[in-house]
Amino acid sequence: MRTAKTIFPIVVFLAGIILYLPVNFTTAPIAKPQTHVVEIKQMKFNPAELTVNKGDTVVFVNKDVLRHDATETTGKSWKSPALASGQSWKVVATKSASYYCSFHPVMKGKIIVK
Amino acid sequence: MKTFKSLTGWAASIVFCISMFHLPAFAQEKPTLSDAEVASVAVVANQIDINYAKLAKEKSKNADVLKFAETMASDHKAVIDQAVALVTKLGVTPKDNAVSKQLLSDADKTMKTLRTKSGRAFDKAYIDNEVAYHKAVISAVEGLLIPESENAELKALLQSIVPALNAHLEHAQMVQKQFSGK
Ligand SMILES: [Cu+2]
């Protein structure tokens, strides 16, 4: 009886640690990466402003008749190839970026990494 | 009752005056076009801008002008391909007409002027013309070709190219800024 009484809190304590730890690891900063779609249609990126988590994938889909691309504004980060009608291209978002279409520089968009 | 009568009379005379001044001009600006003629105007208008772009690629050394011309050649070609595919499907043969002939003879004059220029003067003249030309084409598409087209698919195609024409106009205006100096 005496042994059981002393052991019980220890068991509860250990169980707590064991149960708590994995939960803590899976929910907090490392969420499962998601995929977001930016449609290029009627000379616009849609949505023009997209908020994502770090590590998420952004897919650009050209639904226009004309060719377009997505070019990160500073020119130092990423640039899609020319996307013909129906083609798509993806990038993994590691930091916030502004981008534009190099064929039609008036087309602009933004990816915000939370 | 009396006030009402005189008010309507007043309104009617105003409407009458406005229409007297505006109707003849309006009628002149809006010829009647069949779908075959609308298709011809659309193809000719796009081909003209491709020709301007070809000339720019021969004559210009300015990176922004060249990039713009490259986009014009590619986009207007895509629009022509789309228009040709549609008229082929509809069994319509584009038919030239007063509007398409006027466009061609105006473009001929502009091409001659552009050919006489070189360097920065050419770049400026080319871009100024692109701004003016896209403005004119946008108003022709919206004010004449769309209202004149009877076939729903032809109308939809014309409506779908307006955003591209507007983007081209803004792009041209962006490039134009670097020549606003003297
Ligand atoms: Cu574009």
Side-chain angles (χ1 to χ4, degrees):
Chain A
M1 217 42 197
R2 213 194 141 92
T3 335
K5 249 190 188 165
T6 22
I7 286 172
F8 186 65
I10 296 170
V11 168
V12 168
F13 179 64
L14 285 176
I17 286 178
I18 290 161
L19 284 173
Y20 178 70
L21 278 182
V23 169
N24 191 24
F25 271 118
T26 47
T27 52
I30 313 156
K32 222 181 176 186
Q34 287 188 316
T35 298
H36 309 263
V37 174
V38 174
E39 275 191 3
I40 310 174
K41 209 172 174 182
Q42 293 280 279
M43 311 302 283
K44 282 194 173 88
F45 292 105
N46 195 2
E49 205 174 293
L50 179 69
T51 304
V52 304
N53 287 310
K54 192 174 178 175
D56 282 1
T57 297
V58 180
V59 185
F60 292 91
V61 184
N62 184 4
K63 298 216 165 174
D64 249 341
V65 179
L66 308 177
R67 65 174 184 179
H68 297 288
D69 70 11
T71 305
E72 188 273 327
T73 306
T74 65
K76 289 173 190 155
S77 191
W78 46 263
K79 179 182 172 68
S80 80
L83 301 174
S85 181
Q87 289 185 325
S88 62
W89 177 79
K90 59 188 171 185
V91 64
V92 174
T94 52
K95 58 179 183 200
S96 296
S98 293
Y99 62 87
Y100 67 104
C101 168
S102 75
F103 301 113
H104 312 103
V106 296
M107 297 172 59
K108 287 173 188 156
K110 220 178 243 178
I111 295 170
I112 297 151
V113 176
K114 270 189 274 192
Chain B
M1 214 42 199
K2 219 176 172 176
T3 332
F4 179 74
K5 248 188 188 163
S6 61
L7 254 182
T8 23
W10 184 72
S13 62
I14 283 188
V15 169
F16 180 72
C17 286
I18 290 173
S19 58
M20 277 295 281
F21 281 107
H22 287 263
L23 268 182
F26 193 60
Q28 240 178 17
E29 280 165 19
K30 283 195 76 169
T32 322
L33 296 177
S34 67
D35 280 2
E37 290 170 329
V38 167
S40 163
V41 174
V43 170
V44 164
N46 280 286
Q47 188 57 52
I48 286 170
D49 207 48
I50 294 174
N51 296 346
Y52 290 147
K54 274 186 194 152
L55 186 64
K57 280 195 258 182
E58 280 168 34
K59 300 197 78 147
S60 181
K61 289 188 177 71
N62 179 297
D64 295 324
V65 169
L66 288 169
K67 182 94 203 190
F68 174 82
E70 159 71 17
T71 291
M72 291 310 106
S74 161
D75 285 5
H76 288 287
K77 170 79 167 53
V79 174
I80 291 180
D81 290 349
Q82 218 191 344
V84 168
L86 178 62
V87 294
T88 307
K89 181 186 138 189
L90 297 174
V92 171
T93 311
K95 186 168 176 284
D96 60 350
N97 54 84
V99 181
S100 59
K101 281 176 188 157
Q102 186 64 50
L103 278 174
L104 282 171
S105 81
D106 289 350
D108 220 42
K109 282 178 210 144
T110 307
M111 277 293 246
K112 278 191 184 117
T113 317
L114 287 175
R115 278 185 213 282
T116 64
K117 296 177 191 289
S118 58
R120 187 188 158 94
F122 171 83
D123 291 340
K124 185 179 182 327
Y126 168 71
I127 273 301
D128 286 350
N129 181 57
E130 283 299 297
V131 170
Y133 186 69
H134 277 84
K135 279 182 186 167
V137 170
I138 290 165
S139 68
V141 170
E142 288 182 327
L144 176 69
L145 302 187
I146 292 172
E148 285 293 310
S149 51
E150 277 169 33
N151 181 277
E153 285 179 86
L154 180 60
K155 206 184 266 281
L157 187 149
L158 291 165
Q159 278 159 344
S160 77
I161 65 174
V162 174
L165 292 172
N166 279 314
H168 291 171
L169 173 60
E170 283 174 55
H171 187 177
Q173 286 167 330
M174 219 162 108
V175 180
Q176 193 181 36
K177 276 185 195 141
Q178 64 176 283
F179 302 109
S180 63
K182 36 178 173 172

